[in-house]
């Protein structure tokens, strides 16, 4: 099997957080890729704010059902035994604390576990969707993101500067360079992606990084 890199590696690593039977919500974009990398023997109930319980793998173009799409308008699927519900019920799952984990993309995330992922002041955006509800109601918030902006500036900050979506809610951060666990005193570097060093991560991270004695390998 070819070595995974970039966003595929991020999605694959995030999928390894899940346990068999977990009830999980995946944000649009990169987080939705996680369904394509679930470990063998791990079956999930994937919930989408649009009203799907039991979302499946992303179908190929030409094999899609035009009546089944994800929150980003892309082709989606529903597994055997899955169901469709109204928005009221969908958000009751989230706000009621029934979701075990959520994977979200972000604009910024910081060392305190704050996340800013819904707006840039002065730019037109469609709205925050269900992100704020997820940050308030889900037990584990996993951020899946490119390590830096296209400009080269780190997205992993000491303190978010954009309007916050959630406060001190992020538990894990996965980028194409590494996996951080959010700790009480900073971000703990748990794993490095192949081809990257501790020095590479420190040079591209504004947040405080704690280096443990042992660091694993992302895969």
């Amino acid at each position: 099997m070819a070595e995974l890199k970039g966003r595929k590696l991020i999605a694959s690593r995030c999928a390894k957080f899940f346990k068999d039977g977990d009830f999980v919500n995946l944000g649009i974009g990169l987080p939705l890729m996680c369904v394509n990398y679930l470990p063998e023997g791990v079956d999930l109930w994937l919930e989408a704010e649009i009203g799907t319980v039991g979302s499946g793998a992303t179908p190929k173009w030409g094999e899609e059902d035009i009546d089944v799409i994800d929150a980003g308008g892309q082709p989606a699927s529903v597994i055997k035994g899955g169901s469709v519900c109204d928005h009221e019920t969908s958000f009751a799952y989230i706000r009621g604390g029934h979701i075990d984990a959520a994977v979200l993309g972000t604009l910024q995330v910081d060392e305190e576990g704050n996340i800013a992922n819904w707006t840039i002041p002065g730019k037109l955006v469609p709205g925050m969707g269900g992100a704020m509800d997820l940050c308030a109601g889900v037990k584990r918030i996993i951020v899946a993101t490119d390590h830096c902006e296209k400009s080269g500036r780190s997205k992993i900050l000491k303190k978010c500067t954009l309007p916050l979506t959630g406060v001190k809610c992020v538990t894990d951060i996965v980028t194409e360079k590494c996996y951080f666990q959010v700790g009480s005193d900073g971000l703990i570097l748990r794993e490095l992606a192949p081809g990257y060093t501790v020095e590479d991560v420190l040079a591209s991270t504004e947040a405080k990084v704690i280096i443990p004695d042992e660091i694993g390998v992302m895969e």
Side-chain angles (χ1 to χ4, degrees), residues 16 20 35 44 50 53 86 90 129 135 139 144 200 207 210 212 215 218:
K16 290 179 173 60
D20 190 45
V35 296
L44 305 178
I50 57 171
V53 176
D86 59 26
S90 177
C135 288
K139 303 164 189 174
D200 292 331
I210 299 168
I215 301 174
M218 267 178 65

Side-chain angles (χ1 to χ4, degrees), residues 50 52 55-56 59 64-70 73-78 84:
I50 57 171
T52 301
S55 299
E64 75 279 5
D65 181 338
I66 61 173
D67 292 321
V68 183
I69 60 173
D70 62 34
Q74 298 301 305
S77 66
V78 180
V84 175

Side-chain angles (χ1 to χ4, degrees), residues 24-26 46-55 70-71 85 90 94:
V24 174
N25 180 288
L26 302 177
L46 297 179
E47 188 266 357
E49 296 102 308
I50 57 171
T52 301
V53 176
S55 299
D70 62 34
C85 61
S90 177
I94 297 169

Side-chain angles (χ1 to χ4, degrees), residues 105-147:
T106 198
L107 296 167
Q108 296 178 342
V109 62
D110 67 31
E111 64 188 47
E112 297 179 2
N114 301 315
I115 178 174
N117 78 341
W118 76 278
T119 188
I120 298 175
K123 290 193 176 183
L124 181 65
V125 294
M128 67 182 65
M132 186 172 287
D133 297 271
L134 289 165
C135 288
V138 176
K139 303 164 189 174
R140 186 171 199 172
I141 298 293
I142 303 159
V143 166
T145 181
D146 297 321
H147 206 100

Side-chain angles (χ1 to χ4, degrees), residues 1-218:
M1 183 176 177
E3 182 180 280
L4 296 176
K5 296 181 179 180
R7 292 194 158 200
K8 291 181 179 180
L9 177 60
I10 296 171
S12 175
R13 180 59 187 87
C14 287
K16 290 179 173 60
F17 287 114
F18 307 141
K19 304 185 300 297
D20 190 45
D22 274 354
F23 197 15
V24 174
N25 180 288
L26 302 177
I28 63 173
L30 171 56
L32 282 172
M33 294 171 59
C34 294
V35 296
N36 301 319
Y37 298 97
L38 294 176
E40 186 176 351
V42 174
D43 291 317
L44 305 178
W45 288 104
L46 297 179
E47 188 266 357
E49 296 102 308
I50 57 171
T52 301
V53 176
S55 299
T58 305
K60 297 178 181 178
W61 285 104
E63 299 177 4
E64 75 279 5
D65 181 338
I66 61 173
D67 292 321
V68 183
I69 60 173
D70 62 34
Q74 298 301 305
S77 66
V78 180
I79 64 172
K80 184 177 180 179
S83 65
V84 175
C85 61
D86 59 26
H87 275 93
E88 181 179 354
T89 302
S90 177
F91 276 86
Y93 294 140
I94 297 169
R95 296 169 180 172
H98 303 291
I99 308 294
D100 295 301
V103 183
L104 301 175
T106 198
L107 296 167
Q108 296 178 342
V109 62
D110 67 31
E111 64 188 47
E112 297 179 2
N114 301 315
I115 178 174
N117 78 341
W118 76 278
T119 188
I120 298 175
K123 290 193 176 183
L124 181 65
V125 294
M128 67 182 65
M132 186 172 287
D133 297 271
L134 289 165
C135 288
V138 176
K139 303 164 189 174
R140 186 171 199 172
I141 298 293
I142 303 159
V143 166
T145 181
D146 297 321
H147 206 100
C148 297
E149 300 173 2
K150 290 181 180 179
S151 65
R153 186 188 179 209
S154 180
K155 295 172 72 173
I156 322 296
L157 308 177
K158 293 190 69 65
K159 194 77 172 179
C160 291
T161 58
L162 295 174
L164 295 182
T165 310
V167 176
K168 296 183 178 179
C169 59
V170 176
T171 55
D172 308 275
I173 303 168
V174 181
T175 79
E176 79 281 6
K177 296 183 180 182
C178 66
Y179 157 45
F180 292 119
Q181 179 184 14
V182 180
S184 57
D185 297 319
L187 305 182
I188 305 168
L189 181 59
R190 291 300 186 192
E191 297 174 4
L192 284 169
Y196 290 97
T197 65
V198 171
E199 289 71 26
D200 292 331
V201 171
L202 292 177
S204 56
T205 306
E206 182 187 299
K208 177 182 178 181
V209 177
I210 299 168
I211 310 298
D213 294 333
E214 296 186 9
I215 301 174
V217 178
M218 267 178 65

